[in-house]
Amino acid sequence: MANIPVVAIPGDGIGPEVTKAVQKILKAAKAPIDWLEHHAGLAAIESSGEVMPEGTVEAIKKCAVALKGPCTTPVGEGFTSVNVQLRKRLNLYAAVRPVRSLEGVPTRFEDVDLIILRENTEGLYSGVENQVTDDVVMSMKVATQTACMRMSHWAFRFATQRRRKRITVFHKANIMKMSDGLFLKCSRSVHQKDYPNIDYDEAIIDAGCMKIVQDPNNFDVLLLENLYGDVVSDLCAGLVGGLGVVPGANFGDEQAVFEAVHGSAPDIAGKGIANPLALLMSAVMMLEHLADERSNEECKAAAALIESGYRAALRDGEKTGDIGGDLNTDGFADAVIKRLGAPAATA
Ligand code: NAI
Protein backbone atom coordinates (compact mmCIF):
# COMPACT_ATOMS: atom_id res chain seq x y z
CA MET A 1 0.00 0.00 0.00
CA ALA A 2 1.29 3.52 -0.85
CA ASN A 3 2.44 5.81 1.93
CA ILE A 4 0.01 8.48 3.14
CA PRO A 5 1.02 12.13 2.60
CA VAL A 6 0.75 14.10 5.87
CA VAL A 7 1.62 17.77 6.41
CA ALA A 8 4.22 18.37 9.12
CA ILE A 9 4.39 21.86 10.65
CA PRO A 10 7.40 21.94 12.99
CA GLY A 11 6.29 25.26 14.55
CA ASP A 12 8.34 27.49 16.84
CA GLY A 13 10.40 27.17 20.03
CA ILE A 14 10.60 23.51 21.06
CA GLY A 15 8.40 22.58 18.06
CA PRO A 16 11.17 21.58 15.63
CA GLU A 17 13.00 19.58 18.34
CA VAL A 18 10.00 17.52 19.37
CA THR A 19 8.79 17.13 15.77
CA LYS A 20 12.15 15.69 14.72
CA ALA A 21 12.11 13.21 17.60
CA VAL A 22 8.56 12.13 16.79
CA GLN A 23 9.29 11.68 13.09
CA LYS A 24 12.30 9.52 14.00
CA ILE A 25 10.09 7.27 16.16
CA LEU A 26 7.39 7.00 13.48
CA LYS A 27 10.03 6.04 10.93
CA ALA A 28 11.42 3.34 13.25
CA ALA A 29 7.88 2.01 13.75
CA LYS A 30 7.45 1.86 9.96
CA ALA A 31 4.49 4.22 9.99
CA PRO A 32 3.46 4.53 6.32
CA ILE A 33 3.73 8.33 6.21
CA ASP A 34 5.32 10.69 3.69
CA TRP A 35 5.90 14.02 5.44
CA LEU A 36 5.28 17.24 3.53
CA GLU A 37 6.94 19.99 5.53
CA HIS A 38 5.17 23.36 5.66
CA HIS A 39 5.55 26.30 7.99
CA ALA A 40 3.36 28.52 10.14
CA GLY A 41 4.11 31.12 12.80
CA LEU A 42 7.50 32.74 13.37
CA ALA A 43 9.19 30.02 11.32
CA ALA A 44 6.96 30.93 8.37
CA ILE A 45 7.76 34.64 8.69
CA GLU A 46 11.44 33.72 8.42
CA SER A 47 10.96 31.48 5.39
CA SER A 48 8.20 33.32 3.46
CA GLY A 49 7.44 36.64 5.15
CA GLU A 50 3.93 35.48 6.00
CA VAL A 51 2.75 34.17 9.35
CA MET A 52 0.14 31.84 7.84
CA PRO A 53 1.22 31.05 4.27
CA GLU A 54 -1.58 30.08 1.91
CA GLY A 55 0.53 27.09 0.81
CA THR A 56 0.34 25.62 4.33
CA VAL A 57 -3.46 25.90 4.45
CA GLU A 58 -3.82 24.49 0.93
CA ALA A 59 -1.50 21.56 1.73
CA ILE A 60 -3.61 20.60 4.76
CA LYS A 61 -6.79 20.89 2.69
CA LYS A 62 -5.26 18.54 0.14
CA CYS A 63 -3.81 15.97 2.57
CA ALA A 64 -6.68 16.30 5.10
CA VAL A 65 -4.28 15.48 7.95
CA ALA A 66 -1.44 17.40 9.61
CA LEU A 67 0.86 16.98 12.59
CA LYS A 68 1.62 20.40 14.02
CA GLY A 69 4.20 21.66 16.49
CA PRO A 70 3.36 24.65 18.70
CA CYS A 71 3.44 28.18 17.27
CA THR A 72 4.40 31.25 19.30
CA THR A 73 1.87 34.09 19.60
CA PRO A 74 3.04 37.55 20.68
CA VAL A 75 1.45 38.65 23.96
CA GLY A 76 -0.60 41.87 24.07
CA GLU A 77 0.35 42.96 20.53
CA GLY A 78 1.30 41.69 17.08
CA PHE A 79 -0.28 39.11 14.82
CA THR A 80 -3.35 36.99 15.56
CA SER A 81 -2.54 33.52 16.88
CA VAL A 82 -1.61 31.16 14.07
CA ASN A 83 -3.34 28.37 15.94
CA VAL A 84 -6.59 30.32 16.05
CA GLN A 85 -6.22 31.32 12.38
CA LEU A 86 -5.66 27.73 11.31
CA ARG A 87 -8.59 26.38 13.32
CA LYS A 88 -10.87 29.02 11.80
CA ARG A 89 -9.59 28.73 8.22
CA LEU A 90 -10.08 24.95 8.24
CA ASN A 91 -13.15 24.98 10.47
CA LEU A 92 -11.48 22.63 12.93
CA TYR A 93 -14.28 23.10 15.39
CA ALA A 94 -13.77 20.22 17.81
CA ALA A 95 -10.65 19.80 19.93
CA VAL A 96 -10.06 16.52 21.75
CA ARG A 97 -7.58 16.29 24.61
CA PRO A 98 -7.33 12.97 26.45
CA VAL A 99 -5.85 13.37 29.92
CA ARG A 100 -4.67 10.05 31.33
CA SER A 101 -2.38 8.83 34.09
CA LEU A 102 0.71 7.05 32.84
CA GLU A 103 2.51 4.29 34.68
CA GLY A 104 5.98 5.59 35.56
CA VAL A 105 4.79 9.19 35.89
CA PRO A 106 3.83 9.46 39.55
CA THR A 107 1.32 12.19 40.38
CA ARG A 108 -1.12 12.99 43.16
CA PHE A 109 -3.93 10.97 41.54
CA GLU A 110 -4.05 7.48 40.08
CA ASP A 111 -6.07 6.25 37.14
CA VAL A 112 -7.10 9.65 35.82
CA ASP A 113 -8.99 9.13 32.57
CA LEU A 114 -10.61 12.33 31.39
CA ILE A 115 -11.38 13.56 27.91
CA ILE A 116 -11.66 17.28 27.30
CA LEU A 117 -13.75 18.40 24.32
CA ARG A 118 -13.31 22.06 23.45
CA GLU A 119 -15.30 24.16 20.98
CA ASN A 120 -12.51 25.62 18.88
CA THR A 121 -13.90 28.42 16.72
CA GLU A 122 -15.75 31.05 18.71
CA GLY A 123 -16.36 32.48 22.21
CA LEU A 124 -13.78 35.05 23.28
CA TYR A 125 -11.40 33.71 20.62
CA SER A 126 -13.48 35.38 17.92
CA GLY A 127 -10.92 38.19 17.92
CA VAL A 128 -13.57 40.93 17.93
CA GLU A 129 -11.87 43.61 20.03
CA ASN A 130 -12.44 47.37 19.93
CA GLN A 131 -10.96 50.47 21.45
CA VAL A 132 -14.27 52.08 22.40
CA THR A 133 -12.90 55.27 24.00
CA ASP A 134 -9.44 56.25 25.24
CA ASP A 135 -10.39 54.58 28.50
CA VAL A 136 -12.37 51.56 27.33
CA VAL A 137 -11.55 48.46 25.32
CA MET A 138 -14.01 45.72 24.58
CA SER A 139 -13.66 42.01 23.68
CA MET A 140 -16.72 40.32 22.33
CA LYS A 141 -17.74 36.78 23.25
CA VAL A 142 -19.52 35.34 20.25
CA ALA A 143 -21.69 32.23 20.37
CA THR A 144 -23.77 31.00 17.46
CA GLN A 145 -26.46 28.37 17.60
CA THR A 146 -24.89 26.73 14.54
CA ALA A 147 -21.48 26.25 16.19
CA CYS A 148 -22.92 25.27 19.60
CA MET A 149 -25.20 22.64 18.03
CA ARG A 150 -22.42 21.36 15.80
CA MET A 151 -20.10 20.95 18.78
CA SER A 152 -22.77 19.32 20.93
CA HIS A 153 -23.60 16.77 18.26
CA TRP A 154 -19.90 16.07 17.73
CA ALA A 155 -19.31 15.60 21.47
CA PHE A 156 -22.18 13.17 22.03
CA ARG A 157 -21.31 11.21 18.88
CA PHE A 158 -17.69 11.00 20.06
CA ALA A 159 -18.71 9.90 23.57
CA THR A 160 -20.95 7.20 22.10
CA GLN A 161 -18.26 5.89 19.74
CA ARG A 162 -15.72 5.78 22.58
CA ARG A 163 -18.22 4.13 24.94
CA ARG A 164 -17.90 6.94 27.46
CA LYS A 165 -20.62 7.18 30.04
CA ARG A 166 -21.07 10.84 30.94
CA ILE A 167 -20.63 14.33 29.55
CA THR A 168 -20.28 17.27 31.94
CA VAL A 169 -20.57 20.80 30.54
CA PHE A 170 -18.55 23.46 32.34
CA HIS A 171 -20.09 26.93 31.95
CA LYS A 172 -20.64 30.32 33.52
CA ALA A 173 -24.24 30.75 32.39
CA ASN A 174 -25.15 32.29 35.73
CA ILE A 175 -23.22 35.39 34.57
CA MET A 176 -23.04 35.04 30.76
CA LYS A 177 -26.66 34.09 30.49
CA MET A 178 -26.90 34.51 26.73
CA SER A 179 -23.61 33.14 25.37
CA ASP A 180 -22.93 30.34 27.86
CA GLY A 181 -26.70 29.97 28.14
CA LEU A 182 -26.86 29.14 24.43
CA PHE A 183 -24.02 26.61 24.76
CA LEU A 184 -25.94 24.89 27.58
CA LYS A 185 -29.27 25.01 25.76
CA CYS A 186 -27.74 23.30 22.73
CA SER A 187 -25.96 20.64 24.81
CA ARG A 188 -29.16 19.87 26.73
CA SER A 189 -31.28 19.61 23.61
CA VAL A 190 -28.84 17.29 21.79
CA HIS A 191 -28.63 15.11 24.88
CA GLN A 192 -32.39 14.90 25.40
CA LYS A 193 -33.32 14.42 21.78
CA ASP A 194 -30.58 12.18 20.43
CA TYR A 195 -28.38 10.75 23.19
CA PRO A 196 -30.45 9.99 26.30
CA ASN A 197 -28.23 6.96 26.99
CA ILE A 198 -25.22 9.14 27.79
CA ASP A 199 -25.43 10.66 31.27
CA TYR A 200 -25.35 14.43 31.20
CA ASP A 201 -24.66 17.04 33.85
CA GLU A 202 -23.42 20.60 34.23
CA ALA A 203 -21.11 22.49 36.56
CA ILE A 204 -20.42 26.18 36.97
CA ILE A 205 -16.80 26.35 35.92
CA ASP A 206 -15.29 27.71 39.13
CA ALA A 207 -16.81 25.00 41.29
CA GLY A 208 -16.12 22.45 38.55
CA CYS A 209 -12.38 23.26 38.66
CA MET A 210 -12.36 22.84 42.41
CA LYS A 211 -14.04 19.43 42.05
CA ILE A 212 -11.53 18.33 39.39
CA VAL A 213 -8.53 19.03 41.58
CA GLN A 214 -10.21 17.37 44.56
CA ASP A 215 -10.85 14.20 42.58
CA PRO A 216 -10.57 14.05 38.79
CA ASN A 217 -12.13 10.60 38.82
CA ASN A 218 -15.48 12.30 39.44
CA PHE A 219 -15.51 13.23 35.75
CA ASP A 220 -15.56 11.39 32.46
CA VAL A 221 -15.89 13.67 29.40
CA LEU A 222 -15.82 17.45 29.82
CA LEU A 223 -17.44 19.66 27.18
CA LEU A 224 -16.44 23.32 27.18
CA GLU A 225 -16.58 26.45 25.08
CA ASN A 226 -13.32 27.76 23.67
CA LEU A 227 -11.61 29.73 26.46
CA TYR A 228 -12.73 27.41 29.27
CA GLY A 229 -11.48 24.44 27.24
CA ASP A 230 -8.08 26.09 26.84
CA VAL A 231 -7.66 26.82 30.54
CA VAL A 232 -9.09 23.55 31.85
CA SER A 233 -6.85 21.55 29.46
CA ASP A 234 -3.72 22.91 31.15
CA LEU A 235 -5.24 22.50 34.60
CA CYS A 236 -5.96 18.84 33.85
CA ALA A 237 -2.49 18.35 32.33
CA GLY A 238 -1.17 19.23 35.77
CA LEU A 239 -3.04 16.24 37.22
CA VAL A 240 -1.16 13.68 35.13
CA GLY A 241 2.40 15.03 34.93
CA GLY A 242 2.17 18.32 33.05
CA LEU A 243 2.13 19.61 29.51
CA GLY A 244 4.78 17.16 28.35
CA VAL A 245 2.30 14.27 28.47
CA VAL A 246 -1.03 15.55 27.10
CA PRO A 247 -1.81 15.11 23.39
CA GLY A 248 -4.54 16.67 21.31
CA ALA A 249 -6.34 16.80 18.00
CA ASN A 250 -8.47 19.38 16.21
CA PHE A 251 -11.20 17.97 14.00
CA GLY A 252 -13.36 19.53 11.32
CA ASP A 253 -15.65 17.76 8.88
CA GLU A 254 -12.91 17.63 6.23
CA GLN A 255 -9.54 17.91 7.99
CA ALA A 256 -7.81 16.98 11.23
CA VAL A 257 -4.74 18.63 12.74
CA PHE A 258 -2.96 16.79 15.54
CA GLU A 259 -0.96 18.79 18.07
CA ALA A 260 0.09 18.66 21.70
CA VAL A 261 -1.70 20.87 24.22
CA HIS A 262 1.55 22.64 25.13
CA GLY A 263 2.97 25.77 23.55
CA SER A 264 6.39 26.61 22.15
CA ALA A 265 8.00 26.69 25.64
CA PRO A 266 10.48 29.52 24.97
CA ASP A 267 12.04 28.96 28.41
CA ILE A 268 13.53 25.62 27.30
CA ALA A 269 13.64 26.01 23.49
CA GLY A 270 16.94 25.12 21.81
CA LYS A 271 18.24 23.17 24.80
CA GLY A 272 17.19 19.76 23.48
CA ILE A 273 15.44 18.87 26.74
CA ALA A 274 11.75 19.19 25.80
CA ASN A 275 9.54 16.17 26.29
CA PRO A 276 8.43 14.89 22.87
CA LEU A 277 5.83 12.56 24.41
CA ALA A 278 2.82 14.89 24.08
CA LEU A 279 3.46 15.31 20.36
CA LEU A 280 4.24 11.59 20.05
CA MET A 281 0.90 10.71 21.66
CA SER A 282 -0.76 13.19 19.26
CA ALA A 283 0.95 11.34 16.39
CA VAL A 284 -0.44 8.05 17.75
CA MET A 285 -3.91 9.62 17.73
CA MET A 286 -3.21 10.63 14.13
CA LEU A 287 -2.20 7.09 13.14
CA GLU A 288 -5.33 5.68 14.79
CA HIS A 289 -7.43 8.26 12.94
CA LEU A 290 -5.80 7.27 9.62
CA ALA A 291 -6.28 3.60 10.47
CA ASP A 292 -10.02 4.16 11.04
CA GLU A 293 -10.66 6.58 8.19
CA ARG A 294 -8.68 4.71 5.56
CA SER A 295 -8.84 1.16 6.93
CA ASN A 296 -5.05 1.19 7.04
CA GLU A 297 -3.65 -1.73 9.01
CA GLU A 298 -0.07 -0.43 8.84
CA CYS A 299 -1.08 2.76 10.65
CA LYS A 300 -2.87 0.69 13.28
CA ALA A 301 0.19 -1.51 13.76
CA ALA A 302 2.58 1.46 13.99
CA ALA A 303 0.33 3.17 16.56
CA ALA A 304 0.29 0.03 18.71
CA LEU A 305 4.08 -0.41 18.46
CA ILE A 306 4.73 3.18 19.48
CA GLU A 307 2.25 3.14 22.36
CA SER A 308 3.82 -0.03 23.77
CA GLY A 309 7.26 1.58 23.29
CA TYR A 310 6.59 4.76 25.23
CA ARG A 311 4.70 2.93 27.96
CA ALA A 312 7.63 0.54 28.46
CA ALA A 313 10.15 3.41 28.45
CA LEU A 314 8.21 5.25 31.17
CA ARG A 315 7.85 2.07 33.23
CA ASP A 316 11.63 1.61 33.02
CA GLY A 317 12.15 5.15 34.32
CA GLU A 318 13.43 6.33 30.94
CA LYS A 319 11.92 9.82 30.76
CA THR A 320 12.66 13.51 30.35
CA GLY A 321 13.36 16.00 33.14
CA ASP A 322 9.88 17.59 33.25
CA ILE A 323 8.47 14.30 34.57
CA GLY A 324 11.34 13.39 36.86
CA GLY A 325 13.77 11.64 34.51
CA ASP A 326 17.19 12.57 33.21
CA LEU A 327 16.90 11.99 29.46
CA ASN A 328 16.97 14.69 26.84
CA THR A 329 14.62 14.83 23.84
CA ASP A 330 16.72 12.53 21.65
CA GLY A 331 17.50 10.19 24.54
CA PHE A 332 13.81 9.63 25.16
CA ALA A 333 13.16 9.06 21.44
CA ASP A 334 15.89 6.40 21.42
CA ALA A 335 14.49 4.78 24.58
CA VAL A 336 11.08 4.48 22.89
CA ILE A 337 12.57 3.11 19.67
CA LYS A 338 14.46 0.45 21.65
CA ARG A 339 11.17 -0.70 23.19
CA LEU A 340 8.80 -0.59 20.19
CA GLY A 341 6.40 -3.49 20.56
CA ALA A 342 7.42 -4.24 24.15
CA PRO A 343 4.83 -6.39 25.95
CA ALA A 344 2.31 -4.56 28.12
CA ALA A 345 2.91 -4.55 31.87
CA THR A 346 1.42 -7.44 33.79
CA ALA A 347 -0.80 -6.32 36.61
P1 NAI B 1 3.92 26.50 27.15
O1 NAI B 1 3.00 25.34 27.06
O2 NAI B 1 4.78 26.75 25.98
O3 NAI B 1 4.87 26.32 28.45
C1 NAI B 1 4.36 26.27 29.77
C2 NAI B 1 5.40 25.56 30.67
O4 NAI B 1 5.39 24.16 30.37
C3 NAI B 1 6.83 26.04 30.43
O5 NAI B 1 7.51 26.06 31.65
C4 NAI B 1 7.42 24.99 29.52
O6 NAI B 1 8.81 24.83 29.62
C5 NAI B 1 6.68 23.73 29.96
N1 NAI B 1 6.51 22.81 28.83
C6 NAI B 1 5.63 22.91 27.80
N2 NAI B 1 5.77 21.91 26.96
C7 NAI B 1 6.77 21.14 27.41
C8 NAI B 1 7.40 19.95 26.94
N3 NAI B 1 7.02 19.35 25.81
N4 NAI B 1 8.40 19.42 27.68
C9 NAI B 1 8.80 20.00 28.82
N5 NAI B 1 8.25 21.13 29.33
C10 NAI B 1 7.24 21.70 28.61
O7 NAI B 1 3.02 27.77 27.48
P2 NAI B 1 3.37 29.33 27.44
O8 NAI B 1 4.73 29.55 27.99
O9 NAI B 1 2.21 29.94 28.07
O10 NAI B 1 3.34 29.72 25.91
C11 NAI B 1 4.50 29.87 25.10
C12 NAI B 1 4.06 30.21 23.68
O11 NAI B 1 3.37 29.10 23.11
C13 NAI B 1 3.14 31.41 23.58
O12 NAI B 1 3.54 32.19 22.48
C14 NAI B 1 1.78 30.81 23.33
O13 NAI B 1 0.92 31.64 22.62
C15 NAI B 1 2.16 29.57 22.52
N6 NAI B 1 1.18 28.47 22.58
C16 NAI B 1 0.97 27.78 21.43
C17 NAI B 1 0.12 26.71 21.42
C18 NAI B 1 -0.07 25.97 20.13
O14 NAI B 1 0.67 26.19 19.19
N7 NAI B 1 -1.03 25.07 20.05
C19 NAI B 1 -0.59 26.28 22.62
C20 NAI B 1 -0.24 27.03 23.81
C21 NAI B 1 0.61 28.10 23.78
Side-chain angles (χ1 to χ4, degrees):
M1 211 184 260
N3 279 359
I4 301 170
V6 169
V7 174
I9 302 174
D12 303 318
I14 61 170
E17 303 162 39
V18 291
T19 303
K20 202 165 132 229
V22 167
Q23 287 176 322
K24 185 173 160 187
I25 297 168
L26 262 66
K27 187 169 176 204
K30 299 197 167 37
I33 303 294
D34 281 337
W35 298 108
L36 306 177
E37 188 166 296
H38 284 268
H39 293 288
L42 296 178
I45 295 181
E46 275 163 32
S47 60
S48 69
E50 284 176 74
V51 66
M52 189 71 257
E54 207 47 42
T56 302
V57 178
E58 286 307 315
I60 302 174
K61 282 188 182 164
K62 198 160 163 213
C63 292
V65 174
L67 183 69
K68 176 184 162 298
C71 294
T72 298
T73 307
V75 175
E77 56 182 14
F79 59 80
T80 307
S81 160
V82 167
N83 311 305
V84 173
Q85 286 189 50
L86 200 59
R87 290 167 197 163
K88 282 196 186 158
R89 285 288 305 276
L90 298 172
N91 230 343
L92 302 169
Y93 59 87
V96 180
R97 284 134 175 226
V99 179
R100 297 198 176 102
S101 302
L102 290 161
E103 200 184 338
V105 184
T107 54
R108 207 165 299 159
F109 300 100
E110 283 176 10
D111 301 326
V112 176
D113 181 9
L114 288 173
I115 298 182
I116 294 171
L117 303 180
R118 166 187 179 191
E119 200 291 323
N120 238 356
T121 61
E122 52 181 30
L124 276 166
Y125 278 65
S126 302
V128 187
E129 291 196 309
N130 303 316
Q131 181 88 42
V132 183
T133 67
D134 283 349
D135 189 42
V136 180
V137 293
M138 209 170 72
S139 285
M140 200 176 292
K141 176 160 173 161
V142 178
T144 63
Q145 181 157 329
T146 306
C148 294
M149 285 303 278
R150 177 175 74 174
M151 186 61 209
S152 297
H153 277 293
W154 198 95
F156 279 98
R157 201 165 52 240
F158 175 89
T160 306
Q161 283 164 356
R162 301 296 164 104
R163 298 176 200 282
R164 305 295 293 212
K165 296 205 161 15
R166 182 161 53 107
I167 289 186
T168 305
V169 178
F170 275 17
H171 66 91
K172 195 80 190 175
N174 48 333
I175 306 298
M176 280 157 280
K177 294 175 195 293
M178 293 192 76
S179 53
D180 282 15
L182 179 60
F183 196 80
L184 274 186
K185 210 165 103 190
C186 294
S187 308
R188 285 175 193 163
S189 84
V190 170
H191 167 246
Q192 282 162 10
K193 191 159 165 281
D194 297 324
Y195 297 92
N197 294 337
I198 302 261
D199 291 341
Y200 171 83
D201 61 2
E202 298 164 357
I204 293 179
I205 186 159
D206 34 355
C209 286
M210 188 269 300
K211 285 183 189 156
I212 290 183
V213 297
Q214 277 185 330
D215 186 359
N217 297 323
N218 284 330
F219 296 95
D220 184 11
V221 176
L222 301 178
L223 171 60
L224 308 97
E225 63 83 84
N226 209 341
L227 178 64
Y228 306 153
D230 184 32
V231 176
V232 171
S233 297
D234 280 33
L235 175 115
C236 290
L239 303 169
V240 295
L243 287 164
V245 301
V246 178
N250 305 293
F251 291 101
D253 292 331
E254 311 291 336
Q255 288 93 22
V257 174
F258 296 80
E259 63 177 338
V261 171
H262 65 71
S264 55
D267 53 337
I268 57 167
K271 296 183 179 163
I273 58 170
N275 191 348
L277 183 53
L279 189 65
L280 182 63
M281 292 162 89
S282 310
V284 168
M285 288 171 74
M286 179 190 88
L287 290 170
E288 287 167 346
H289 169 77
L290 288 169
D292 286 348
E293 291 274 302
R294 307 186 190 190
S295 308
N296 188 306
E297 288 301 316
E298 287 172 78
C299 285
K300 197 171 164 187
L305 279 183
I306 295 168
E307 184 171 346
S308 62
Y310 72 69
R311 286 189 183 281
L314 295 175
R315 276 201 307 273
D316 292 345
E318 301 280 312
K319 49 193 180 179
T320 48
D322 57 309
I323 49 174
D326 54 15
L327 296 180
N328 61 19
T329 310
D330 287 340
F332 180 70
D334 291 339
V336 174
I337 290 170
K338 228 162 90 184
R339 293 167 177 80
L340 291 174
T346 45

